[in-house]
Amino acid sequence: IGVDDQSGLVHTVVGTTAKASDMSQFGELLHGDEARISADRGYDYPQIHAHLDENLIEDWVARKAKPGKSLDAWTRNLNRAIAGLRAIGEHPFRILKRQFGYTKVRYLGLYKNTAQLYMLFALGNLFQVEEQVAQVPALGAQHGRPAGAGGVVHAPGEDQPHAPQPRQGARARAF
């Protein structure tokens, strides 16, 4: 997935088979207006770093150790700093797993599972901006009606509609 590091919202979802490498999908995850790319070690390839340098994009890709060698202290500290930025990109997965209960694919076939992921990530984006959306005044307020009235203006002293009460014994679900 491609995630905006300022807002934490998912802007790109790509579904592939398990045999497709992360690097093969790198170009698909970009939208073209990136100022910084932060990624895990699966994207630590010379082609990726060259692409970022050519396009003047900040390179925050975690570094891999060379085979048979360990990372030096500077590179370990760089990877630790990058991990803090990458945590923003992991938050949408927490929403899918904890809020929506998505832990396993449900369908057979890449097309159906990718379609479900598109929907879940879109709902996850709405979940993340729920408070911001709730603060937007209702459309009726633009036409001289009170915000939140939903187009219905109540006369002073008239009973205001109440929210429906849950059934007795019904379980509340908080998202």
Side-chain angles (χ1 to χ4, degrees):
I1 65 170
V3 179
D4 180 56
D5 65 352
Q6 299 298 313
S7 65
L9 299 177
V10 176
H11 58 75
T12 309
V13 177
V14 178
T16 64
T17 59
K19 67 182 179 181
S21 70
D22 289 345
M23 194 193 98
S24 69
Q25 300 304 312
F26 180 74
E28 299 291 322
L29 296 174
L30 303 179
H31 56 72
D33 294 330
E34 294 85 8
R36 171 178 54 217
I37 300 289
S38 58
D40 62 8
R41 292 177 185 140
Y43 295 94
D44 185 27
Y45 288 95
Q47 305 93 302
I48 301 287
H49 297 292
H51 174 77
L52 297 177
D53 287 342
E54 287 171 12
N55 295 308
L56 303 174
I57 299 172
E58 284 184 52
D59 186 356
W60 286 85
V61 177
R63 304 304 196 261
K64 288 190 269 192
K66 303 290 184 226
K69 297 185 179 182
S70 62
L71 291 174
D72 60 354
W74 186 87
T75 308
R76 275 197 304 272
N77 288 335
L78 175 67
N79 283 351
R80 186 170 291 132
I82 291 171
L85 286 173
R86 280 189 34 245
I88 296 167
E90 300 297 328
H91 188 69
F93 290 108
R94 186 204 70 83
I95 292 174
L96 260 60
K97 292 175 102 176
R98 298 294 178 205
Q99 304 306 124
F100 301 145
Y102 184 80
T103 56
K104 293 189 229 177
V105 294
R106 185 172 296 181
Y107 305 109
L108 288 176
L110 181 63
Y111 181 78
K112 289 180 183 179
N113 285 313
T114 303
Q116 184 184 27
L117 285 173
Y118 272 112
M119 183 59 66
L120 287 171
F121 280 117
L123 290 172
N125 281 349
L126 289 174
F127 182 83
Q128 285 185 314
V129 297
E130 176 184 20
E131 290 178 13
Q132 296 168 359
V133 171
Q135 293 174 1
V136 174
L139 182 61
Q142 295 175 0
H143 303 289
R145 297 186 203 116
V152 178
V153 178
H154 296 281
E158 186 180 331
D159 289 338
Q160 300 291 324
H162 297 286
Q165 299 298 319
R167 296 187 323 252
Q168 191 66 17
R171 295 187 332 187
R173 294 185 70 182
F175 287 107

